[in-house]
Amino acid sequence: MKKTLKERLAILSDAAKYDASCASSGTSKRDSSSGGLGSTEGSGICHAYAPDGRCISLLKILMTNFCIFDCAYCINRSSSNVERARFTPDEVVWLTLEFYRRNYIEGLFLSSGIIRNSDYTMEQMVRIARDLRLKHDFRGYIHLKTIPEASAALIEEAGLYADRLSINIELPTDAGVEAFAPQKHPANIRRSMGELKQKIDAASEPTYKKRRKRFVPAGQSTQMIIGADQTTDATILGSSAGLYSRFRLRRVYYSAFSPIPDASKVLPLIKPPLVREHRLYQADWLYRFYGFDIGEITAGRPDGMLDLELDPKLAWALENRARFPVDVNRADKEMLLRVPGFGVKAVQSILSVRRFRRLKLEDLQRLKVSLRKIKPFVVTADWTPVRLIDRADLRTLFAPEPQQLVLL
Amino acid sequence: MKRFELRGRGDYGEWRDAAREALCQGLSPREVEWGATGTQAGLFDTGLPPDFRGETAEIGGRRAVTVPSAFVELSKAVLCHSDPRRFDLCYRLLWRLQTDKPLLRVVTDPDVALAHAFAKSVGRDTHKMKAFVRFREIPTQGPRRAFVAWFEPEHFIVARTAGFFQRRFNDMDWLIATPKGSAAWDGETLRVSDEAAEKPDIRDETDDLWRTYFANIFNPARLKVQAMQSEMPKKYWKNLPEAELIPDLIRSAEHRVREMKERGASDTAPKFHERLQQRADQSAPNRSRV
């Protein structure tokens, strides 16, 4: 018997949850004042949070979870006995519009297992995006996952309707991809990213007369799975840095490898390394917004792994004590950004205020900065950390209480 | 001592008029008292005087009042806050700005910091309203579909947030009702009221599909209840159709993961996988399988 829409929604959202991205930000600003349905106003909106703490911003579903590929880490691989289902393009369009009208979502994040071949699958996905945009004048957010090896013409058309396109790099190293995803080819994935970058660049070049067509205004992103193989954090972050600089990706998502139903025997059924995933995101932020090099972040430990107990900025500061304390009334922006406990916003506030006042500790407290965290590292008008920075036990001031390990 | 009684439901105009009068009389913040009746119409409702906005205004020929436009933006947000100190705080800032022009840039000043904290709380509430309003469809005669939502904001933010819904849901009629006012759109006029509204009783079948999605997008192996609650505090749950599922999802998570592990990998693959493998072997006989 054919499964109901509700049953298939259950299967095809369950199948989609291992993609971490749910971002709906950073696209072109538009609304429905002149007709149609929907708007995007710069910042994304999380319409709900699941008990896994993840934001639900988009209707994140698979068109189908039938797949001819057999990637070991994937719930939808062909050798898995997971229940299969498929939406028609019209059903996806209907769900997106009805969910949107009730303000459940910002738009659609559509991915799919590969059926028949890459082009057939991509064609169906492009049709959904095209119908949403052209038939229904939908102006909300659309994120399409591009299918590996799909033709350039299809990717180009997808880019006209989608705010964001992404293709997953899957594992941080080529060897990892070859071992676990035998039908995927890292070189082709990179080539696809490179081609997309060129098209995005070309579309954003100014022209003399008229506006160019909108093309993937929220750029491209990717995801890699963490903890399925033995890759170190240094290698992972190096790989991300390469992706950011070569293809100007907006985001690299790290997805802690998580147990899936009917998992492959070649992979361990472990508790997902959530702390490690969190530390990688912090390091990623330091690289993108705080002026750190990947090498600096990972230099502290010979095994190439990030410290799980301390955030990477604090760990770096403890390794580089000679550069502290920092005088908040004099230091330059670059050094202020390196103080553990200062965020980008706090640094901006400090730079603005100190043109008019000399900052004291209480001023920093009003910026919602944790004094406990920054005191060893800063000098203010009324505070100097007397040799605090030289204390041998400085690490223990910050490290969490030891906890017994929890087994899955 | 002069006392101003304001309606105090997020209207910047009524406060501005009162504040201008106090300032023109040279009353220091200590000499002014503020109250919010919440019911009466404002006392200074006569006419629509020009905005402060970055200009110099001669008032009663006695004194010029100038404020930076940043103050107007900040106080508009602060005055939507539900804290009774908001009127006095804004007046204190206005008073101090007359002699201390760069004051607003000193974000560590206690008054400025408090104003920013109020504005931030209002901004957060506004953002949560955009996120957590849930429209339910109601039957209608006309060509446009119609939806109604009930939401309970912390502050008086309905008027400042209504424009967002108008820009987004232009092609449908909608009404958002809250205890702190309501907003409605019919395709032509955006109507906003600050009167408390009654909670409507409406069902919408699509909520059930949404709950199905919510339950299945959740990954039980990554339970992080704190992270969820800091972004979606419990006070919002009662009006979110999906929230009723949360306790069960949390309770069953560990069991589901354990079961997943115990069941392990199955020994046989589905038939179509075998067929795919055969096909692959025929077309690429030299390729080894993992």
Side-chain angles (χ1 to χ4, degrees):
Chain A
M1 206 180 73
K2 192 175 182 332
K3 296 183 183 85
T4 64
L5 182 66
K6 188 174 156 178
E7 287 163 343
R8 283 177 291 139
L9 177 62
I11 294 169
L12 293 168
S13 45
D14 184 73
K17 68 180 157 211
Y18 301 99
D19 238 308
S21 166
C22 205
S24 57
S25 56
T27 190
S28 59
K29 201 174 146 123
R30 52 185 192 262
D31 63 42
S32 57
S33 305
S34 59
L37 170 70
S39 63
T40 50
E41 302 199 341
S43 66
I45 298 173
C46 295
H47 285 271
Y49 288 82
D52 50 21
R54 281 182 161 171
C55 153
I56 300 176
S57 178
L58 304 170
L59 172 62
K60 179 161 51 175
I61 46 175
L62 261 52
M63 190 173 70
T64 175
N65 64 341
F66 285 102
C67 191
I68 57 174
F69 279 19
D70 197 36
C71 309
Y73 49 79
C74 182
I75 181 177
N76 306 309
R77 68 188 190 288
S78 57
S79 60
S80 160
N81 283 292
V82 76
E83 209 176 343
R84 309 279 169 167
R86 180 176 176 179
F87 282 131
T88 65
D90 284 348
E91 285 169 337
V92 175
V93 168
W94 185 87
L95 277 172
T96 306
L97 295 172
E98 292 306 313
F99 275 22
Y100 196 87
R101 285 194 185 283
R102 285 161 181 82
N103 205 41
Y104 303 152
I105 53 168
E106 289 293 288
L108 174 69
F109 177 1
L110 184 65
S111 180
S112 183
I114 302 171
I115 38 174
R116 292 198 211 170
N117 56 52
S118 294
D119 274 358
Y120 175 79
T121 310
M122 194 71 219
E123 225 169 67
Q124 298 280 303
M125 294 171 72
V126 170
R127 183 181 149 193
I128 290 168
R130 188 199 307 125
D131 281 358
L132 277 170
R133 291 285 191 236
L134 304 185
K135 222 190 249 180
H136 300 277
D137 204 355
F138 176 66
R139 302 180 181 191
Y141 193 93
I142 298 178
H143 178 164
L144 291 183
K145 181 118 309 201
T146 60
I147 303 299
E149 324 278 331
S151 76
L154 281 169
I155 305 291
E156 180 135 20
E157 195 187 353
L160 297 177
Y161 311 126
D163 290 283
R164 170 167 287 181
L165 294 179
S166 63
I167 185 165
N168 285 356
I169 199 96
E170 307 295 10
L171 291 152
T173 63
D174 286 6
V177 180
E178 275 149 26
F180 292 131
Q183 292 113 320
K184 291 197 175 181
H185 309 295
N188 292 358
I189 292 172
R190 281 192 294 268
R191 194 189 60 219
S192 160
M193 285 177 175
E195 285 170 3
L196 187 57
K197 175 186 174 283
Q198 282 183 350
K199 284 178 192 144
I200 292 172
D201 288 351
S204 61
E205 260 173 37
T207 58
Y208 178 61
K209 270 188 182 165
K210 57 174 190 179
R211 274 186 55 198
R212 282 178 187 273
K213 275 187 198 158
R214 190 174 71 203
F215 188 81
V216 202
Q220 56 175 334
S221 65
T222 193
Q223 165 170 305
M224 52 178 102
I225 297 164
I226 303 311
D229 62 5
Q230 301 304 311
T231 316
T232 65
D233 293 338
T235 307
I236 291 167
L237 291 167
S239 173
S240 308
L243 292 167
Y244 282 127
S245 60
R246 276 179 71 190
F247 306 121
R248 212 161 344 94
L249 294 189
R250 294 289 183 89
R251 282 291 295 276
V252 174
Y253 288 93
Y254 307 101
S255 179
F257 179 65
S258 163
I260 49 173
D262 196 18
S264 161
K265 284 174 179 154
V266 302
L267 288 170
L269 256 185
I270 47 159
K271 211 173 167 63
L274 297 182
V275 178
R276 185 178 175 202
E277 181 193 272
H278 179 58
R279 295 286 179 241
L280 283 166
Y281 277 120
Q282 288 177 318
D284 187 283
W285 245 253
L286 291 183
Y287 170 72
R288 289 189 297 145
F289 304 115
Y290 288 80
F292 282 82
D293 287 332
I294 296 296
E296 292 180 291
I297 301 167
T298 53
R301 292 171 57 132
D303 61 358
M305 299 301 274
L306 296 170
D307 195 328
L308 290 181
E309 285 184 346
L310 302 179
D311 74 73
K313 199 185 195 187
L314 183 55
W316 176 85
L318 294 181
E319 291 292 325
N320 294 274
R321 297 182 192 201
R323 300 184 61 174
F324 295 94
V326 166
D327 186 340
V328 295
N329 286 300
R330 287 176 194 198
D332 59 17
K333 185 180 171 189
E334 287 66 34
M335 200 53 218
L336 287 173
L337 282 170
R338 287 178 175 245
V339 175
F342 282 167
V344 172
K345 217 173 155 204
V347 169
Q348 278 163 355
S349 296
I350 289 167
L351 293 172
S352 157
V353 171
R354 73 184 190 185
R355 294 168 54 201
F356 306 101
R357 311 274 156 95
R358 293 213 353 111
L359 287 147
K360 297 180 182 170
L361 277 185
E362 58 175 24
D363 294 315
L364 297 179
Q365 192 156 31
R366 282 192 210 103
L367 295 176
K368 307 286 177 220
V369 163
S370 157
L371 290 191
R372 188 186 73 88
K373 195 161 186 189
I374 59 159
K375 271 170 87 172
F377 300 104
V378 296
V379 171
T380 63
D382 60 344
W383 166 257
T384 309
V386 187
R387 294 197 161 275
L388 190 51
I389 201 76
D390 294 329
R391 279 171 61 159
D393 62 344
L394 193 53
R395 182 185 165 90
T396 57
L397 285 180
F398 296 105
E401 298 280 310
Q403 277 181 347
Q404 199 169 347
L405 286 174
V406 185
L407 299 170
L408 179 73
Chain B
M1 177 66 69
K2 175 147 182 129
R3 186 172 171 85
F4 291 97
E5 290 291 343
L6 304 180
R7 194 167 148 76
R9 293 177 74 85
D11 180 9
Y12 170 73
E14 60 164 5
W15 174 87
R16 175 199 55 205
D17 296 346
R20 177 183 286 142
E21 185 184 316
L23 195 62
C24 289
Q25 291 174 18
L27 299 174
S28 79
R30 284 159 192 270
E31 296 168 295
V32 183
E33 243 180 37
W34 300 89
T37 64
T39 49
Q40 254 173 269
L43 293 177
F44 304 92
D45 267 359
T46 47
L48 282 174
D51 223 324
F52 282 141
R53 190 182 290 272
E55 297 160 8
T56 303
E58 285 290 327
I59 292 156
R62 277 185 299 173
R63 193 173 163 159
V65 181
T66 51
V67 287
S69 60
F71 171 77
V72 178
E73 287 314 307
L74 181 62
S75 53
K76 274 182 179 169
V78 171
L79 289 163
C80 291
H81 202 283
S82 49
D83 191 302
R85 290 171 295 172
R86 62 193 181 277
F87 313 107
D88 180 50
L89 173 63
C90 285
Y91 188 64
R92 217 160 47 237
L93 284 175
L94 175 64
W95 177 263
R96 291 179 60 198
L97 273 168
Q98 304 309 305
T99 50
D100 185 359
K101 296 290 175 202
L103 175 62
L104 289 185
R105 294 162 78 175
V106 185
V107 288
T108 55
D109 175 274
D111 285 341
V112 180
L114 184 61
H116 278 289
F118 279 14
K120 193 173 168 190
S121 173
V122 166
R124 187 176 157 85
D125 202 30
T126 304
H127 187 75
K128 294 300 178 196
M129 178 170 169
K130 293 174 186 173
F132 297 152
V133 155
R134 295 283 182 265
F135 283 119
R136 293 190 163 122
E137 186 158 27
I138 53 167
T140 166
Q141 308 299 323
R144 288 162 65 88
R145 294 173 66 181
F147 294 81
V148 171
W150 170 253
F151 184 71
E152 294 176 56
E154 198 179 331
H155 306 300
F156 298 99
I157 54 163
V158 175
R160 50 186 292 116
T161 319
F164 167 83
F165 290 97
Q166 183 198 333
R167 291 188 294 278
R168 174 160 289 196
F169 300 107
N170 200 277
D171 72 346
M172 62 194 216
D173 290 353
W174 53 259
L175 163 73
I176 302 171
T178 91
K180 291 189 162 66
S182 34
W185 170 249
D186 61 6
E188 282 175 8
T189 318
L190 180 66
R191 281 170 298 127
V192 178
S193 147
D194 66 6
E195 300 286 347
E198 293 283 316
K199 183 175 180 173
D201 182 23
I202 306 160
R203 310 248 158 270
D204 188 325
E205 280 180 13
T206 310
D207 278 353
D208 201 32
L209 283 174
W210 171 241
R211 277 189 286 265
T212 300
Y213 176 68
F214 183 79
N216 284 285
I217 203 70
F218 162 58
N219 183 350
R222 299 179 53 109
L223 196 62
K224 274 187 179 177
V225 179
Q226 271 312 313
M228 168 188 65
Q229 279 191 23
S230 70
E231 294 299 335
M232 196 167 78
K234 277 190 168 164
K235 65 179 177 187
Y236 294 110
W237 289 15
K238 60 178 181 287
N239 296 316
L240 292 169
E242 66 273 25
E244 64 184 53
L245 302 178
I246 294 172
D248 263 353
L249 290 175
I250 294 173
R251 215 174 301 126
S252 61
E254 205 188 314
H255 172 73
R256 288 169 64 190
V257 177
R258 207 180 319 120
E259 212 182 47
M260 211 186 312
K261 190 181 175 183
E262 280 162 9
R263 219 183 301 126
S266 36
D267 294 320
T268 51
K271 285 213 171 67
F272 75 91
H273 173 74
E274 301 303 335
R275 284 200 300 275
L276 282 168
Q277 294 293 304
Q278 284 162 12
R279 224 188 300 163
D281 287 349
Q282 282 157 14
S283 58
N286 297 328
R287 185 131 186 231
S288 62
R289 289 214 306 266
V290 178

